[in-house]
């Protein structure tokens, strides 16, 4: 895919922020093995109902696409089905939005049956409303005004099939959810010691899986790419004779995460809502780290998990300073509310402090006194 990117800026979204978002969109295009040839940014308060950008800008876009030899255009925001249709007609190239890219990346990364089902559900939910628009367009080509053309009939059949499949997937995922719940219960029953459930959350590429590996020794797939992890993985660490911590790694978050995906990944993300403590992992070597914290918090809110006790794990300190000693003087912890520990998961700096912090908060959350008895 050789793509031109399109975004808008206005009173609410300053130009710099819009540019930043386009840089991230470029990362998504690259995650799919594509290249971005450039971008168009328009100052616009409200998206145009027909083309999202203004009609004049849309014409300009067509010329840019021709001039650069691009085969696709990617919009940074959600497009309505009719905007996609109008744009494709005008520019004659594939028109995609951020949601399309994220769903495509997820679908390529999905390995387990559960992740695959969840991605399929997101894709179908995304596709369904777009089918109506396409059906009308097809029937205009096929049949006369007011009659039901062959296009529309086809769409109707496809629509019914999709709805049926959505229903089927939801049922299968419900089974998965029940099984997970059952497993959680069994884990708790079988284990004699106190179990502290800790979920690792954070922006994609923050270092969650690397931290899980550093804390528990469990090998998981880590990579310098967006959305490396799509499945939750749980592994344990015994911290004292009477406490065992269960760490669960989760899928990374991103700005403008398609609601279809959040909805579809609810079963996976249930590990977050079931956790006693959340470790919010942050890449502090990225200039946008404070901004990312807000994005992640917003998504936690959507999952009704924003009231949970949180420890901020300010990761990748080794990219800012040269030694663990220097790391202790970093001011980052003062910028976040509540508990925060600066670490480097890769160099294993600060992990003991982190474990101590988890343990002390854990005892508070579970209502255990320092001697191990319940209050
Ligand atoms: N320098 C440095 N790199 C790190 C550190 N922690 C993680 N990384 C690197 O950051 C990249 C992303 O790490 P992951 O652990 O895969 O990140 P993640 O948060 O699990 O990402 P997703 O699963 O995609 O959401 C990898 O290339 C890691 O090697 C760290 O403390 N220091
Ligand atoms: Mg990961």
């Amino acid at each position: 895919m050789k793509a031109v990117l399109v975004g808008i800026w206005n009173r609410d979204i300053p130009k710099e922020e819009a540019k930043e978002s386009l840089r991230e969109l470029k990362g998504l295009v690259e995650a799919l093995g594509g290249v971005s040839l450039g971008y168009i940014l328009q100052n616009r308060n409200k998206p145009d109902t027909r083309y999202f950008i203004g009609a004049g800008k849309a014409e300009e876009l067509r010329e840019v696409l021709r001039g650069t030899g691009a085969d696709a255009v990617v919009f940074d925001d959600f497009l309505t089905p009719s905007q996609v249709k109008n744009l494709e007609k005008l520019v004659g190239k594939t028109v995609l939005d951020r949601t399309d890219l994220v769903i495509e990346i997820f679908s390529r990364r999905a390995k387990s049956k559960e992740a695959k089902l969840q991605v399929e559900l997101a894709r179908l939910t995304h596709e369904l409303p777009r089918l109506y628009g396409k059906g009308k367009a097809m029937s205009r080509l096929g049949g006369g005004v007011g009659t039901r053309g062959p296009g529309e009939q086809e769409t109707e059949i496809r629509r019914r099939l999709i709805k049926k499949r959505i229903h089927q997937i939801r049922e299968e995922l419900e089974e998965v959810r029940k099984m997970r719940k059952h497993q959680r219960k069994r884990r708790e029953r079988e284990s004699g010691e106190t179990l502290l459930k800790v979920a690792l959350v954070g922006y994609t590429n923050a270092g969650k899986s690397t931290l899980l590996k550093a804390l528990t020794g469990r090998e998981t797939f880590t990579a310098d790419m967006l959305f490396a992890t799509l499945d939750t993985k749980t592994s344990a660490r015994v911290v004292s004779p009477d406490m065992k911590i269960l760490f669960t790694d989760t899928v990374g978050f991103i700005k403008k995460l398609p609601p279809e995906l959040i909805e579809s990944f609810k079963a996976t993300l249930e590990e977050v809502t079931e956790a006693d403590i959340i470790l919010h992992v942050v890449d502090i070597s990225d200039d946008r780290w404070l901004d990312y914290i807000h994005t992640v918090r917003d998504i936690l809110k959507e999952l009704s998990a924003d009231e949970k006790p949180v420890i901020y794990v300010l990761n990748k300190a080794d990219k800012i300073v040269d030694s663990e000693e220097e790391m202790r003087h970093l001011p980052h912890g003062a910028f976040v509310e509540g508990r925060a520990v600066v670490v480097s998961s890769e160099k294993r700096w600060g992990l003991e402090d982190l474990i101590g912090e988890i343990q002390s908060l854990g005892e508070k959350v579970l209502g255990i006194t320092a001697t191990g008895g319940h209050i």
Side-chain angles (χ1 to χ4, degrees):
M1 171 172 50
K2 284 182 286 179
V4 169
L5 316 180
V6 183
I8 56 172
W9 65 278
N10 51 41
R11 271 181 263 113
D12 303 326
I13 314 156
K15 197 170 185 177
E16 260 322 296
E17 196 180 314
K19 273 192 185 164
E20 213 35 82
S21 187
L22 282 178
R23 261 192 282 276
E24 188 174 83
L25 190 68
K26 181 168 173 256
L28 294 173
V29 169
E30 285 163 1
L32 285 168
V35 284
S36 120
L37 302 175
Y39 66 85
I40 290 182
L41 195 57
Q42 187 180 33
N43 178 351
R44 215 187 151 79
N45 281 331
K46 244 180 61 197
D48 178 69
T49 45
R50 231 170 1 141
Y51 296 120
F52 190 82
I53 45 177
K57 221 29 173 195
E59 299 272 350
E60 195 185 312
L61 173 65
R62 183 180 58 195
E63 296 317 310
V64 169
L65 288 171
R66 274 205 195 132
T68 55
D71 53 18
V73 46
V74 185
F75 282 70
D76 198 19
D77 296 87
F78 301 116
L79 292 175
T80 64
S82 70
Q83 282 166 341
V84 174
K85 195 185 69 192
N86 295 335
L87 280 162
E88 282 192 338
K89 202 165 152 207
L90 181 75
V91 303
K93 308 275 179 208
T94 308
V95 175
L96 303 165
D97 65 13
R98 184 179 263 255
T99 306
D100 292 313
L101 296 194
V102 175
I103 291 181
E104 183 57 30
I105 296 173
F106 268 57
S107 107
R108 290 195 194 175
R109 303 262 203 272
K111 291 257 157 45
S112 71
K113 182 168 171 234
E114 183 183 4
K116 282 186 182 150
L117 280 174
Q118 297 183 117
V119 176
E120 190 186 351
L121 179 60
R123 192 193 282 286
L124 293 177
T125 318
H126 183 58
E127 197 182 315
L128 197 57
R130 300 191 168 211
L131 224 52
Y132 287 98
K134 289 209 173 106
K136 275 193 209 119
M138 275 193 270
S139 75
R140 259 201 298 280
L141 295 175
V145 181
T147 62
R148 260 178 165 258
E152 196 159 340
Q153 265 169 23
E154 249 169 58
T155 313
E156 190 57 35
I157 293 169
R158 173 118 182 90
R159 221 190 68 208
R160 257 186 250 145
L161 284 176
I162 289 184
K163 280 193 167 162
K164 202 169 148 199
R165 180 75 188 130
I166 286 180
H167 184 73
Q168 212 177 21
I169 298 176
R170 286 221 168 100
E171 280 186 346
E172 281 184 57
L173 284 175
E174 188 51 37
E175 284 304 307
V176 175
R177 263 190 62 212
K178 278 191 198 143
M179 215 173 61
R180 276 180 178 281
K181 205 167 185 165
H182 184 72
Q183 275 173 352
R184 270 198 299 267
K185 283 243 170 71
R186 207 183 51 203
R187 264 201 306 249
E188 279 165 44
R189 256 201 325 266
E190 278 174 3
S191 151
E193 65 273 86
T194 306
L195 279 186
L196 181 70
K197 287 170 282 173
V198 177
L200 278 69
V201 304
Y203 213 75
T204 177
N205 216 38
K208 299 176 292 297
S209 304
T210 309
L211 179 66
L212 182 87
K213 191 155 67 181
L215 288 172
T216 69
R218 169 150 189 171
E219 276 299 323
T220 52
F221 179 61
T222 64
D224 190 9
M225 64 184 194
L226 302 171
F227 305 116
T229 307
L230 282 193
D231 292 303
T232 59
K233 289 223 168 62
T234 300
S235 65
R237 176 178 174 129
V238 179
V239 287
S240 71
D242 43 29
M243 194 194 276
K244 189 162 152 185
I245 309 179
L246 280 184
F247 291 98
T248 300
D249 188 14
T250 60
V251 54
F253 298 163
I254 194 173
K255 266 182 216 299
K256 304 179 195 168
L257 194 67
E260 295 95 327
L261 274 174
I262 300 183
E263 190 51 42
S264 305
F265 274 74
K266 279 243 161 99
T268 299
L269 291 167
E270 208 161 71
E271 303 283 346
V272 177
T273 47
E274 291 281 328
D276 301 309
I277 293 177
I278 286 177
L279 287 194
H280 183 156
V281 185
V282 186
D283 173 0
I284 48 167
S285 73
D286 192 313
D287 294 342
R288 296 155 288 182
W289 68 281
L290 279 170
D291 188 28
Y292 288 166
I293 286 182
H294 286 122
T295 304
V296 171
R297 289 206 60 84
D298 287 346
I299 297 171
L300 286 177
K301 201 167 187 170
E302 275 180 60
L303 296 170
S304 310
D306 56 325
E307 302 280 326
K308 297 224 173 244
V310 177
I311 299 171
Y312 289 93
V313 184
L314 307 179
N315 191 33
K316 304 201 189 181
D318 62 290
K319 288 179 107 173
I320 309 178
V321 290
D322 293 324
S323 70
E324 188 165 9
E325 174 53 30
E326 271 180 82
M327 180 182 84
R328 302 202 180 276
H329 302 294
L330 284 175
H332 294 70
F335 289 94
V336 295
E337 249 175 71
R339 295 174 186 246
V341 185
V342 183
V343 306
S344 161
S345 307
E346 202 156 280
K347 302 266 192 235
R348 309 187 60 92
W349 296 346
L351 296 188
E352 287 310 313
D353 288 352
L354 175 60
I355 290 287
E357 195 70 32
I358 297 170
Q359 216 174 336
S360 87
L361 181 59
E363 282 166 359
K364 218 165 116 188
V365 171
L366 298 176
I368 305 169
T369 61
T371 52
H374 286 264
I375 295 171

